[in-house]
Amino acid sequence: MKLRRGFKKEASELAEEVRGELRLGPFDCLDPRRLAQHLEIPIIPLSEYSDICKDAQYLFSIEPDAFSAVTVFDNHQRLIMHNDSHSVPRQNSNLAHELSHGLLLHEPAAALDKKTGCRIWDPTNEEEADWLAGELLVTNKMALAVARGRFTPQHAMTKLCVSRQMLEWRLNMTGAFKRVQFEKAKRRKRRKIVSR
């Protein structure tokens, strides 16, 4: 699925605006829990229900990869339930994704088809939320800083509290390494011209 024209620029600007509201620079860690407080969206960890609900117990301890996070609506109020058995970097990605749905004002929809019991999936909304979550967690400036060698990937992952998969996805999606190669080629070309 291809994102609509202009969406990536809008998402970058929105992420920068949100980071500004939280007084975060491009190399600072964005804690999704802090963003949720800022947006007044409660977050409930699945573990709170694992003792009283068999389904929650199953998802939390027996089959943790079956559930990451979900946004639940009560009229206009959003609430996020997430699987806190996951690693903190994965939880951050899950929460940033759900918060991105809110920031993008995606309309609430049924999670399951009543007839088939299958999950209802809006690929456009999901891709937009993925993209904005990536922008929030790993800025373009951070991706370029990693590509330029200012931060090692491990240092960036630790600093931002993101997974290797998230960092690598952002490095690929931003074209950071290609952009840095292009910059280097441009500088070499300029030096050749000056030295003639």
Side-chain angles (χ1 to χ4, degrees), residues 7 59 67 75 135 155:
F7 175 80
L59 292 170
F67 172 74
N75 293 320
E135 288 275 359
H155 184 197

Side-chain angles (χ1 to χ4, degrees), residues 157-174:
M157 287 161 44
T158 302
K159 187 172 177 55
L160 301 176
C161 200
V162 296
S163 66
R164 178 170 297 283
Q165 293 91 333
M166 173 57 80
L167 181 64
E168 287 176 355
W169 182 73
R170 286 294 292 157
L171 289 168
N172 288 332
M173 291 297 108
T174 59

Side-chain angles (χ1 to χ4, degrees), residues 1-3 7 122-132:
M1 167 135 262
K2 194 173 178 184
L3 292 164
F7 175 80
D122 183 327
T124 301
N125 284 356
E126 294 305 317
E127 193 165 343
E128 286 181 356
D130 280 344
W131 190 269
L132 180 56

Side-chain angles (χ1 to χ4, degrees), residues 133-153:
E135 288 275 359
L136 289 166
L137 295 171
V138 182
T139 64
N140 284 316
K141 288 181 180 177
M142 177 55 104
L144 285 169
V146 171
R148 290 178 179 133
R150 179 174 171 190
F151 299 102
T152 66

